[in-house]
Amino acid sequence: MKAFDIAEGIRVLVYGEPMDTGAVVCRLGNEIEADGFGHVELLGPDASRITMELKKKDIVYGLGANLGGINKRGRKYESYCTDEPVHSEEKKRLYAAHNFLMISGNGAKGFFIDFPGLIGYDIGCSDKDKLIIDVAGEDFAVYEIDGKNEDEVVQRFHSIIGRSYVPPKWGLGYFQSRWGYETSKDVRRVKKSFDDLGIPLEGIYLDLDYMEDFKDFSVSDERFPDMEELVREFKEDGVYIIPIIDAGVKIEKGYDIYEEGILNDHFVKTEAGKPYVAAVWPGKVHLPDFLRPETRKWWGEKYKVLTDLGIEGYWNDMNEPAIFYDEEELEKAVDAAIASKGANLGVLKYFELKDLFKDMGNRERYYRTFYHEVDGKVVVNEKVHNLYGQNMTVAAGEGLRSILGKRHVLISRASSTGMHRHSGIWTGDNSSWWSHLELNIRMMPSINMAGFYYVGADTGGFGNSTNWELLTRWLQFSAFTPLYRNHSAIGNDFQEPYIFGDEVTGWNREIIKARYALIPYLYSEMMKSVMNGTMMFRPLSFMFRDDASKDTEDQLLLGKELMLTPVTKPNASGRTVYLPEDMAEVTFRDGEVSLERTASGLRRLEYGFDCLKFYLRKDSILPYSSPSMNVRSLDIGTLHAIAYVDKEAEYVLYDDDGESYGYETGESWSTTIKVRRDGLDFSAEAISDNPKIEKIVVDILGTDGDRIRKTITI
Amino acid sequence: MKAFDIAEGIRVLVYGEPMDTGAVVCRLGNEIEADGFGHVELLGPDASRITMELKKKDIVYGLGANLGGINKRGRKYESYCTDEPVHSEEKKRLYAAHNFLMISGNGAKGFFIDFPGLIGYDIGCSDKDKLIIDVAGEDFAVYEIDGKNEDEVVQRFHSIIGRSYVPPKWGLGYFQSRWGYETSKDVRRVKKSFDDLGIPLEGIYLDLDYMEDFKDFSVSDERFPDMEELVREFKEDGVYIIPIIDAGVKIEKGYDIYEEGILNDHFVKTEAGKPYVAAVWPGKVHLPDFLRPETRKWWGEKYKVLTDLGIEGYWNDMNEPAIFYDEEELEKAVDAAIASKGANLGVLKYFELKDLFKDMGNRERYYRTFYHEVDGKVVVNEKVHNLYGQNMTVAAGEGLRSILGKRHVLISRASSTGMHRHSGIWTGDNSSWWSHLELNIRMMPSINMAGFYYVGADTGGFGNSTNWELLTRWLQFSAFTPLYRNHSAIGNDFQEPYIFGDEVTGWNREIIKARYALIPYLYSEMMKSVMNGTMMFRPLSFMFRDDASKDTEDQLLLGKELMLTPVTKPNASGRTVYLPEDMAEVTFRDGEVSLERTASGLRRLEYGFDCLKFYLRKDSILPYSSPSMNVRSLDIGTLHAIAYVDKEAEYVLYDDDGESYGYETGESWSTTIKVRRDGLDFSAEAISDNPKIEKIVVDILGTDGDRIRKTITI
């Protein structure tokens, strides 16, 4: 092991000869003498173990988009990007490999394991007082980060992994999606429903349905003959079309992507050097070797087929990579079935046979049978498994940036830290379960830690049928997440916000409109978090040290201003909320915003379906706009704000053109709103270079007295 | 439809010509003119629909051991006994068919649908304001029950279904179980660990492991050669052995049960009249036709093989009945596999093939292919499906009562109302999920409503591996359920209470000991509930009408005295509790009982792992004993009690010999403890005919002042 200085509070311990995974952007400093946070054992050629002691009260944060709590203790986890269709509680791995952890107790210590293969975490589970990390290799780096608190540790971590991807501002609108909008007629019908009912709509995601035989960069002539027109017409109304792209390339003579891939050697290979054959949606496919720069370049340029149709947003799917089966496994199962013919199967033999079929998807063996080319060397996928989705998405991100010359929407299912510079993520194929709404909440801070900000879950739930209540409650929570997408799977009940009758439609419309009113703030918070490398969503325990805050995993802090308290249970007219300090309860309902002082402690919050409710912290200001039908028509000529003020409050509203990369070089506008107590009255002032803002109307609730309105002319 | 009077507040609406399912024990009164609660439509020969309006604030209770909340609104359910191995949120059916529902809003109305086939419930899900019940038939009875409140409705319902099964008092001890105690050596080793570590143990459940080739009423010579000795030796120490019995009878020449079954025509038949062949654990089996009285008698007598070994407790499993596959389905799948050989499977064809194997268990088709004899008529299983497990267990219960002449322990996986007179249930093959601990809590009141009192879940979780924290938290909750059993499945980590290191072992020991101290109270409450047909576990909303009580589904009232507030989340040092009124926080720790006044409202409860905590209601008395190592050695010579008193409190402790059926004819003892405020002091008195009680030591906490001790000599 060698240790190197990186920056203040950051060092790296290098074991063996780790590869460049693309996760970090920092350079090694001087070699130093250092022990790591944990005890490291090399157990074999492909096995290293890091062990750390946990104190009783230590909280362990991190692991990004995985299961478990905000506090990750008490479970086992694995980082190994996997298409896991059922996110039930016992699962250890999902789509992402986010290897940042932080132990918070007597101070905060973060560490990031830079390794592209399987890592197992046993966090106080087998042994309640130990954190055990099993790295399936001996070449890896551990970045260790000290900080004066959790926020500083995260910020320092983000300083070494580089600035995160930023979508265009329209990426913060409301998106409708479904696997099963089968034709352009379906898509037009959905948009018409939104229009007719006055529900804001920013775009429609297209799932596999739009493709010709599941072929990447193809559009079905039969089902979407008018794609270019559709995209253009919709865009005139401020509505974007966002098609899916899968990792696997259909094996089909004459299909250009396939032919080019074969010709230029773009596909991963078997041990014998032949293109590897996997089976996914198109049937048999080859998998592009996205770890090769040439292949990434080729792939990235392919998006031009779709950008030429006017499309500016994409989602990359199946890029763990998911594999339904390979030829060998299918043959094995079929042969076992043939051998069983006529035999009096014992029950154990029966289960063996059944499991051959049942467990055929994503078998670990598959990932030991195909190979990448990495810096001229042949490397089996298993060793670099977690870089596949990352590099597919790097290819897309770099390609799109180069083609479009302005920001695009891009989310990916598989991810690892490093990809955060190129794309957002969605949390994968969740279910229409109340517990997945809760999981969505818990995931947000961990995902921010891992470097991702443009994130959201499939609102309403992807698998299984949702119902009116779960959808509405989920819409209320997702109204705060940068990616706001309602998505569901074919075969389940439809779940558009207007599908459950007039009353529910009205509620959902109000919620989505309230979201649009919050976009100036949400965009500002997302951008400031990205620019500063800080968290957008924080656990209560980052700020408050009492046991009740530590145990609260169904509330979140958003920015420095808000505390979110979504209802996550059925049949509830409200919920218990925990206020670590006095706050103001905020209600957005029917275009009106109301404010109510609430004393700290455990409180009952009445929270119906027809509004958005949350809390505004003391000495905080929340700017918002009038609702609009899409981001393009958001009007902040008159910017509104509410303030809850004891002494004084300040908010700095970030804004920019929302589409160019100018923000990277500081092209942005800043509006500083200040409210100060002035005896029983308050003074409000603002400084702004934002040309869109003409005046600011601030409603101020003091910690005593009535609500007061101040108008500031810019 | 004809309507009949049954008793005060109870009437029955009879549609068509319903069969006698054994659910009710009442007789029809006079025919009356009546409309039902709901609108009934006959939609076809096998389809009736009952529709009722739901008001916004109505709560719907019931459906026994099914998923969802205490409030059943917002979901769909089915009553169709099914071996469902994964109880995830979207599932509609589990092992039980408990067709009692109650709408509570402006008053309370209960109804019970007496029908032995499939019933679907859509409770405010498709339409949020409607309860829609689909009965797969046109011959059924709806018992409608009015009452002045929820308790009276339940009590009236229980008056028509008859008194519930009661286990011997030792049934309330702590039981260790595991599928995978493979030999009598394993079982002895487990008992020795409990003995060595001083953890109370009442018995050990044996799963399939003890049988010879999965054959009912056999004992493996190889693995359990000393069963009789084992049972005798253990019983000397007060430890019972409780073996499993499965529904299916292995097809094997020379196996007596099989031969007798064939000879006397005991098995269900195919359409062609041949014994139907299903496959379960033993491989191919026949299923006894438990709907025939002759078959029940034969089966009930078979238990003598095991009672002769001294065994007094049993669990009936796989009696939905579970079917892994039948010959036709397996052949179909195998043939599809053969046909696919060498073909380039499209992905849809692949999924078809895969699903043939994956979904082979418990297909609905199976239950349309075998037939029962009911009153001389041939009836397909589908039509009477929910009576199968019930009648297997009636056979066992009647047989065991007749053989043993005293009470026995009996629980069944499948159940329907009617079986409650003969057996308890466990909640089936749950998972080691925190959400299943919560589900366990929510199920308890609904299961009581359905008539079952001797009930508990697989503590720690059956499927998947548990961990120290989930096990300890679950032990804390299950300490209050009449059936207290830790059970897990082969292949998962072991989960005996002593498996997680010394510290955790110490915690679990204290929890189980506290359970034993509570047995006098728990037995008294269970027995009074059974005798009076009242609930043992009540939702808060039965007693308190505020929104917060209505929304609270993770706390329960136990008897009139206690409120249970288990911790159901990982990494929590306590939880938020809602006290609808002032109560006293009770802690059982290290043999000490402490009491603390707690004002009504939302409160933070610190709840560690090393104790039992709950609340004692105002003007209530909780009797308890010193802990013991088993029920036999429970000593109530000195009975203890704690009281939380404002004005006066009274508790009537029921007791009996704990093993005979004398309780049925009133052979029992009663001890009435009274505490009355007397200025700043309190007076305590007791009347008792219980010969085991010599004195009662009552610790009284007033709503003001210090704790005061009074000793009452009987």
Side-chain angles (χ1 to χ4, degrees):
Chain A
M1 186 270 283
K2 289 183 172 181
F4 300 88
D5 201 30
I6 302 284
E8 195 188 339
I10 315 174
R11 61 194 173 186
V12 60
L13 313 182
V14 178
Y15 295 84
E17 295 181 17
M19 72 176 280
D20 178 6
T21 64
V24 303
V25 293
C26 60
R27 299 198 182 176
L28 296 189
N30 297 323
E31 185 165 353
I32 53 172
E33 298 249 337
D35 292 328
F37 291 161
H39 172 69
V40 179
E41 299 160 274
L42 298 178
L43 303 175
D46 279 330
S48 304
R49 169 169 291 185
I50 308 172
T51 308
M52 298 183 209
E53 301 292 321
L54 293 174
K55 295 196 198 76
K56 264 202 173 26
K57 291 261 178 182
D58 282 351
I59 302 175
V60 180
Y61 297 107
L63 294 186
N66 208 326
L67 292 158
I70 289 177
N71 186 348
K72 309 310 281 185
R73 283 184 83 150
R75 273 186 57 111
K76 294 176 186 172
Y77 308 83
E78 287 172 350
S79 282
Y80 199 78
C81 300
T82 299
D83 172 21
E84 171 51 63
V86 182
H87 310 173
S88 48
E89 272 184 51
E90 82 285 3
K91 299 291 163 62
K92 298 193 189 88
R93 46 171 87 162
L94 293 178
Y95 313 88
H98 296 161
N99 294 308
F100 173 75
L101 276 178
M102 176 160 53
I103 302 178
S104 156
N106 211 347
K109 289 176 180 185
F111 49 97
F112 172 68
I113 302 172
D114 194 2
F115 179 73
L118 173 68
I119 308 181
Y121 298 88
D122 178 339
I123 310 187
C125 184
S126 300
D127 182 328
K128 67 186 170 46
D129 305 315
K130 284 202 166 61
L131 165 58
I132 302 161
I133 302 171
D134 281 307
V135 181
E138 53 181 348
D139 301 303
F140 58 94
V142 182
Y143 290 82
E144 296 190 339
I145 303 154
D146 283 303
K148 65 177 184 293
N149 56 31
E150 293 82 356
D151 282 318
E152 190 173 69
V153 169
V154 171
Q155 201 168 12
R156 284 179 172 170
F157 172 55
H158 286 197
S159 78
I160 65 170
I161 60 173
R163 189 156 57 197
S164 300
Y165 159 84
V166 165
K169 197 192 273 187
W170 62 262
L172 272 72
Y174 173 84
F175 294 89
Q176 188 58 50
S177 182
R178 180 174 174 92
W179 172 23
Y181 291 152
E182 295 185 350
T183 64
S184 69
K185 269 193 189 159
D186 285 351
V187 173
R188 286 177 193 276
R189 202 177 300 127
V190 169
K191 175 173 178 293
K192 185 168 187 311
S193 296
F194 277 86
D195 288 347
D196 290 350
L197 293 160
I199 306 171
L201 178 68
E202 200 71 31
I204 296 180
Y205 274 71
L206 303 183
D207 208 316
L208 296 164
D209 314 277
Y210 83 91
M211 292 181 184
E212 178 85 36
D213 295 336
F214 308 102
K215 285 185 286 191
D216 282 325
F217 307 112
S218 76
V219 175
S220 166
D221 273 346
E222 194 189 325
R223 294 187 307 283
F224 284 80
D226 55 344
M227 181 70 102
E228 186 163 7
E229 219 177 318
L230 182 82
V231 170
R232 186 176 43 73
E233 279 176 30
F234 274 32
K235 211 187 274 187
E236 279 167 15
D237 291 346
V239 175
Y240 293 81
I241 288 290
I242 304 187
I244 198 168
I245 297 290
D246 276 7
V249 171
K250 185 172 169 59
I251 299 176
E252 185 184 280
K253 287 269 169 214
Y255 166 39
D256 56 345
I257 313 288
Y258 164 76
E259 296 285 2
E260 289 174 25
I262 291 290
L263 193 68
N264 297 308
D265 212 17
H266 284 310
F267 298 126
V268 298
K269 299 197 178 59
T270 63
E271 201 173 359
K274 300 235 168 94
Y276 172 73
V277 179
V280 274
W281 293 115
K284 293 187 183 161
V285 299
H286 292 321
L287 297 169
D289 187 357
F290 295 115
L291 275 68
R292 297 173 72 232
E294 304 82 357
T295 301
R296 284 201 297 276
K297 186 159 189 299
W298 166 68
W299 189 262
E301 286 165 1
K302 285 296 144 199
Y303 282 82
K304 195 157 186 312
V305 176
L306 296 165
T307 57
D308 281 351
L309 301 176
I311 296 173
E312 301 174 36
Y314 300 88
W315 48 316
N316 286 347
D317 199 16
M318 302 289 283
N319 52 355
E320 294 73 24
I323 297 177
F324 293 161
Y325 61 91
D326 76 3
E327 290 179 314
E328 185 182 332
E329 200 70 23
L330 182 60
E331 196 170 312
K332 191 171 134 196
V334 167
D335 286 346
I338 291 170
S340 79
K341 176 77 180 171
N344 188 347
L345 278 191
V347 73
L348 298 180
K349 287 266 175 209
Y350 161 72
F351 277 116
E352 263 176 41
L353 174 60
K354 175 176 172 165
D355 290 351
L356 279 176
F357 284 92
K358 181 170 76 71
D359 302 334
M360 206 179 288
N362 308 313
R363 280 188 176 272
E364 292 203 352
R365 187 185 61 70
Y366 302 158
Y367 305 99
R368 292 194 289 267
T369 60
F370 65 87
Y371 294 80
H372 298 273
E373 184 195 314
V374 181
D375 294 333
K377 278 182 230 151
V378 171
V379 181
V380 69
N381 175 269
E382 184 182 46
K383 299 268 188 198
V384 291
H385 180 79
N386 295 331
L387 301 182
Y388 192 81
Q390 169 171 331
N391 279 290
M392 176 192 182
T393 303
V394 168
E398 290 179 343
L400 287 166
R401 180 167 183 154
S402 149
I403 297 166
L404 291 171
K406 62 176 177 177
R407 295 184 232 167
H408 53 269
V409 160
L410 181 61
I411 57 175
S412 172
R413 194 170 72 183
S415 67
S416 49
T417 294
M419 198 193 87
H420 69 286
R421 295 191 301 275
H422 304 271
S423 172
I425 58 174
W426 81 102
T427 62
D429 298 346
N430 64 3
S431 295
S432 294
W433 292 350
W434 288 91
S435 62
H436 278 182
L437 166 53
E438 291 185 332
L439 180 62
N440 183 190
I441 298 167
R442 297 196 303 265
M443 270 190 184
M444 294 306 293
S446 328
I447 291 176
N448 278 179
M449 282 177 222
F452 294 89
Y453 294 97
Y454 187 58
V455 181
D458 285 353
T459 298
F462 174 74
N464 309 122
S465 290
T466 197
N467 61 57
W468 65 271
E469 189 181 14
L470 178 56
L471 176 68
T472 296
R473 291 305 194 190
W474 213 322
L475 285 170
Q476 285 177 327
F477 174 67
S478 295
F480 297 95
T481 64
L483 171 62
Y484 194 18
R485 183 176 79 135
N486 173 341
H487 181 51
S488 62
I490 196 166
N492 297 304
D493 296 346
F494 282 88
Q495 66 184 46
E496 292 74 14
Y498 50 76
I499 217 87
F500 297 103
D502 291 347
E503 192 178 17
V504 178
T505 301
W507 298 338
N508 294 341
R509 178 173 43 227
E510 286 312 304
I511 294 162
I512 296 170
K513 284 171 87 168
R515 153 66 172 230
Y516 273 84
L518 288 168
I519 285 179
Y521 173 74
L522 295 173
Y523 185 71
S524 168
E525 285 305 305
M526 182 185 74
M527 290 304 297
K528 289 195 291 186
S529 298
V530 169
M531 306 303 272
N532 300 326
T534 51
M535 310 256 289
M536 181 171 173
F537 295 93
R538 284 181 180 80
L540 268 56
S541 47
F542 263 43
M543 302 286 305
F544 305 100
R545 302 295 170 179
D546 59 297
D547 281 347
S549 289
K550 174 182 159 294
D551 289 356
T552 300
E553 299 213 336
D554 59 356
Q555 302 176 195
L556 291 177
L557 299 171
L558 167 49
K560 291 196 172 63
E561 289 71 31
L562 307 190
M563 184 173 76
L564 309 182
T565 55
V567 172
T568 62
K569 302 285 183 193
N571 296 310
S573 55
R575 55 163 288 173
T576 300
V577 295
Y578 176 61
L579 279 68
E581 59 184 14
D582 297 356
M583 299 186 187
E585 180 189 321
V586 182
T587 306
F588 275 64
R589 181 191 277 120
D590 291 336
E592 297 295 313
V593 180
S594 61
L595 274 170
E596 194 176 324
R597 277 185 291 270
T598 313
S600 68
L602 291 162
R603 297 281 167 251
R604 167 85 188 167
L605 170 67
E606 293 298 329
Y607 193 167
F609 300 110
D610 60 343
C611 57
L612 267 195
K613 288 203 181 194
F614 52 94
Y615 290 88
L616 179 62
R617 293 180 62 194
K618 201 162 56 180
D619 287 331
S620 294
I621 300 171
L622 170 68
Y624 64 96
S625 65
S626 298
S628 67
M629 296 307 286
N630 53 40
V631 167
R632 186 198 297 169
S633 55
L634 258 180
D635 177 6
I636 54 171
T638 300
L639 184 71
H640 297 269
I642 46 175
Y644 179 55
V645 183
D646 184 35
K647 296 199 178 72
E648 57 179 349
E650 177 177 309
Y651 185 77
V652 180
L653 181 76
Y654 173 98
D655 196 10
D656 59 27
D657 64 19
E659 56 178 36
S660 81
Y661 289 101
Y663 72 91
E664 292 179 351
T665 50
E667 286 175 28
S668 63
W669 304 302
S670 176
T671 304
T672 302
I673 310 170
K674 286 185 187 178
V675 175
R676 208 171 274 119
R677 179 182 285 277
D678 194 6
L680 284 180
D681 197 3
F682 292 88
S683 65
E685 53 180 305
I687 307 168
S688 178
D689 61 1
N690 191 328
K692 293 183 280 180
I693 300 175
E694 288 158 20
K695 65 175 178 178
I696 303 173
V697 180
V698 189
D699 282 299
I700 303 157
L701 183 69
T703 45
D704 45 23
D706 295 330
R707 185 162 154 172
I708 296 165
R709 170 164 296 193
K710 303 280 175 188
T711 301
I712 311 164
T713 309
I714 302 294
Chain B
M1 185 271 281
K2 289 182 173 181
F4 300 89
D5 199 32
I6 302 283
E8 195 187 337
I10 315 174
R11 62 193 173 185
V12 59
L13 313 182
V14 178
Y15 295 84
E17 295 183 15
M19 74 175 282
D20 178 5
T21 64
V24 302
V25 294
C26 60
R27 298 197 184 176
L28 296 190
N30 297 322
E31 186 166 351
I32 53 171
E33 300 248 337
D35 292 329
F37 290 162
H39 173 67
V40 178
E41 300 161 273
L42 299 178
L43 302 176
D46 279 331
S48 305
R49 170 169 290 186
I50 308 171
T51 307
M52 298 183 210
E53 300 293 320
L54 293 174
K55 294 196 199 75
K56 267 204 169 27
K57 289 262 180 182
D58 282 350
I59 303 174
V60 180
Y61 297 107
L63 294 186
N66 209 325
L67 292 157
I70 289 178
N71 186 349
K72 310 309 283 185
R73 284 183 84 149
R75 272 188 56 111
K76 294 176 187 173
Y77 307 85
E78 288 171 349
S79 281
Y80 200 78
C81 301
T82 300
D83 173 20
E84 171 50 64
V86 182
H87 310 174
S88 47
E89 271 183 52
E90 82 284 4
K91 299 291 163 65
K92 298 193 188 86
R93 46 172 82 165
L94 294 178
Y95 313 88
H98 296 162
N99 294 308
F100 174 75
L101 276 179
M102 176 160 53
I103 302 178
S104 156
N106 208 347
K109 289 175 179 187
F111 49 98
F112 172 68
I113 302 172
D114 194 2
F115 178 73
L118 172 68
I119 307 181
Y121 299 88
D122 179 337
I123 310 187
C125 184
S126 299
D127 181 329
K128 69 186 169 45
D129 305 316
K130 283 202 167 60
L131 166 57
I132 301 161
I133 303 172
D134 281 307
V135 181
E138 51 183 350
D139 301 302
F140 59 93
V142 183
Y143 290 82
E144 296 191 339
I145 304 157
D146 283 304
K148 64 177 183 293
N149 56 32
E150 293 81 357
D151 281 318
E152 190 174 68
V153 169
V154 171
Q155 202 168 11
R156 284 179 172 168
F157 172 54
H158 286 199
S159 78
I160 65 170
I161 60 172
R163 188 157 58 200
S164 299
Y165 159 84
V166 164
K169 195 190 275 186
W170 62 261
L172 273 71
Y174 173 84
F175 294 89
Q176 188 59 50
S177 182
R178 180 174 173 90
W179 171 23
Y181 292 153
E182 294 186 350
T183 63
S184 68
K185 267 191 190 161
D186 284 351
V187 173
R188 286 175 194 278
R189 203 177 299 127
V190 170
K191 176 172 176 297
K192 186 168 185 309
S193 296
F194 278 86
D195 288 348
D196 290 351
L197 294 162
I199 306 171
L201 179 67
E202 200 71 32
I204 296 179
Y205 273 74
L206 302 184
D207 209 313
L208 296 163
D209 314 276
Y210 84 91
M211 292 180 184
E212 178 86 37
D213 293 337
F214 307 103
K215 285 184 286 190
D216 282 324
F217 308 112
S218 77
V219 175
S220 165
D221 273 347
E222 194 190 323
R223 293 186 309 284
F224 284 79
D226 55 344
M227 181 69 100
E228 186 163 6
E229 219 178 317
L230 181 83
V231 172
R232 186 175 45 73
E233 280 177 29
F234 273 32
K235 211 188 273 185
E236 278 167 17
D237 291 346
V239 175
Y240 293 82
I241 288 289
I242 304 188
I244 199 168
I245 296 291
D246 276 7
V249 171
K250 184 172 170 57
I251 299 175
E252 185 182 281
K253 287 271 170 212
Y255 165 38
D256 56 346
I257 312 290
Y258 165 75
E259 296 285 1
E260 290 173 23
I262 292 290
L263 193 67
N264 298 307
D265 212 16
H266 284 310
F267 299 126
V268 299
K269 298 196 177 60
T270 63
E271 200 173 359
K274 299 233 167 100
Y276 172 73
V277 180
V280 273
W281 293 115
K284 293 188 183 160
V285 299
H286 292 320
L287 297 168
D289 186 358
F290 294 116
L291 275 68
R292 296 173 73 231
E294 306 81 356
T295 301
R296 285 201 297 275
K297 187 161 186 300
W298 166 68
W299 188 263
E301 285 166 359
K302 285 297 142 198
Y303 282 83
K304 197 158 184 311
V305 175
L306 296 166
T307 58
D308 281 350
L309 300 176
I311 296 173
E312 300 174 38
Y314 300 88
W315 48 317
N316 286 346
D317 198 16
M318 301 290 282
N319 52 355
E320 294 74 25
I323 297 178
F324 293 160
Y325 61 92
D326 76 2
E327 290 178 315
E328 186 182 331
E329 199 70 24
L330 183 59
E331 198 170 309
K332 191 171 133 196
V334 167
D335 286 346
I338 291 170
S340 79
K341 177 76 181 174
N344 189 347
L345 277 191
V347 75
L348 297 180
K349 287 267 175 208
Y350 160 73
F351 277 117
E352 261 175 42
L353 174 61
K354 175 176 172 167
D355 290 350
L356 279 175
F357 284 93
K358 183 170 75 71
D359 302 334
M360 207 180 287
N362 309 312
R363 280 187 177 272
E364 292 203 351
R365 187 185 61 70
Y366 302 158
Y367 305 101
R368 292 194 288 267
T369 61
F370 64 88
Y371 294 80
H372 297 274
E373 183 196 314
V374 180
D375 296 333
K377 278 181 229 152
V378 171
V379 182
V380 68
N381 175 269
E382 185 182 46
K383 298 268 187 198
V384 290
H385 179 80
N386 294 332
L387 301 182
Y388 191 81
Q390 169 170 330
N391 280 289
M392 176 193 181
T393 302
V394 169
E398 290 180 341
L400 287 165
R401 179 166 183 157
S402 150
I403 297 166
L404 291 170
K406 61 176 180 179
R407 295 184 231 166
H408 53 268
V409 160
L410 181 61
I411 56 175
S412 173
R413 194 172 70 182
S415 68
S416 49
T417 293
M419 199 193 87
H420 69 286
R421 297 191 301 274
H422 304 271
S423 173
I425 58 174
W426 81 102
T427 61
D429 298 347
N430 63 4
S431 294
S432 294
W433 293 350
W434 288 90
S435 61
H436 278 181
L437 166 53
E438 292 186 330
L439 180 62
N440 183 188
I441 296 167
R442 297 195 302 265
M443 271 191 184
M444 294 307 292
S446 330
I447 291 176
N448 279 179
M449 283 177 221
F452 293 89
Y453 294 97
Y454 187 57
V455 181
D458 285 353
T459 298
F462 174 75
N464 309 122
S465 290
T466 196
N467 61 56
W468 65 271
E469 189 181 15
L470 178 56
L471 177 67
T472 295
R473 290 307 192 186
W474 213 322
L475 285 170
Q476 286 176 327
F477 173 68
S478 295
F480 297 95
T481 64
L483 172 62
Y484 194 19
R485 183 175 81 135
N486 173 339
H487 181 51
S488 62
I490 197 165
N492 298 304
D493 296 347
F494 282 88
Q495 65 184 46
E496 291 74 14
Y498 50 75
I499 218 83
F500 297 103
D502 291 347
E503 192 178 15
V504 178
T505 301
W507 298 338
N508 294 341
R509 179 172 44 226
E510 287 311 307
I511 293 162
I512 297 171
K513 286 173 86 169
R515 153 67 172 228
Y516 273 84
L518 288 169
I519 285 181
Y521 173 74
L522 295 173
Y523 185 70
S524 168
E525 285 305 306
M526 182 185 74
M527 290 304 297
K528 289 195 291 186
S529 298
V530 169
M531 305 303 271
N532 300 325
T534 51
M535 311 255 290
M536 181 171 171
F537 295 93
R538 282 181 182 80
L540 268 58
S541 47
F542 265 42
M543 302 285 304
F544 306 99
R545 303 295 171 178
D546 57 296
D547 281 348
S549 290
K550 174 182 159 294
D551 289 355
T552 301
E553 298 213 336
D554 60 354
Q555 303 178 193
L556 291 177
L557 300 171
L558 167 50
K560 291 195 173 60
E561 289 70 31
L562 308 189
M563 184 173 76
L564 308 182
T565 55
V567 172
T568 61
K569 302 282 183 194
N571 297 310
S573 56
R575 55 164 287 173
T576 300
V577 295
Y578 176 60
L579 279 68
E581 57 182 16
D582 296 356
M583 299 186 188
E585 180 189 320
V586 182
T587 306
F588 275 63
R589 181 190 278 120
D590 291 337
E592 297 294 315
V593 180
S594 60
L595 275 171
E596 195 175 322
R597 276 185 291 269
T598 311
S600 67
L602 290 163
R603 298 281 167 253
R604 168 84 186 167
L605 170 68
E606 292 299 329
Y607 193 165
F609 300 110
D610 61 342
C611 58
L612 268 195
K613 288 203 181 194
F614 52 93
Y615 289 88
L616 179 62
R617 294 179 62 196
K618 200 162 57 179
D619 287 333
S620 294
I621 301 171
L622 170 68
Y624 64 95
S625 65
S626 297
S628 67
M629 296 308 285
N630 53 39
V631 168
R632 187 197 295 168
S633 55
L634 259 181
D635 179 5
I636 54 169
T638 298
L639 184 71
H640 297 269
I642 46 175
Y644 180 54
V645 184
D646 184 35
K647 296 197 178 74
E648 58 181 349
E650 177 177 308
Y651 185 76
V652 180
L653 181 76
Y654 172 98
D655 197 12
D656 60 26
D657 64 20
E659 55 177 36
S660 81
Y661 289 101
Y663 73 92
E664 292 179 350
T665 51
E667 285 175 27
S668 64
W669 303 302
S670 176
T671 303
T672 304
I673 309 171
K674 287 185 186 176
V675 174
R676 207 171 275 121
R677 178 180 287 274
D678 195 6
L680 284 180
D681 198 2
F682 291 88
S683 66
E685 54 181 304
I687 305 169
S688 176
D689 61 1
N690 190 327
K692 293 183 281 180
I693 300 175
E694 288 158 21
K695 65 174 181 181
I696 303 173
V697 179
V698 190
D699 282 299
I700 304 158
L701 183 68
T703 45
D704 46 22
D706 295 332
R707 184 162 154 172
I708 295 166
R709 170 164 296 192
K710 303 281 175 185
T711 301
I712 311 164
T713 308
I714 302 295

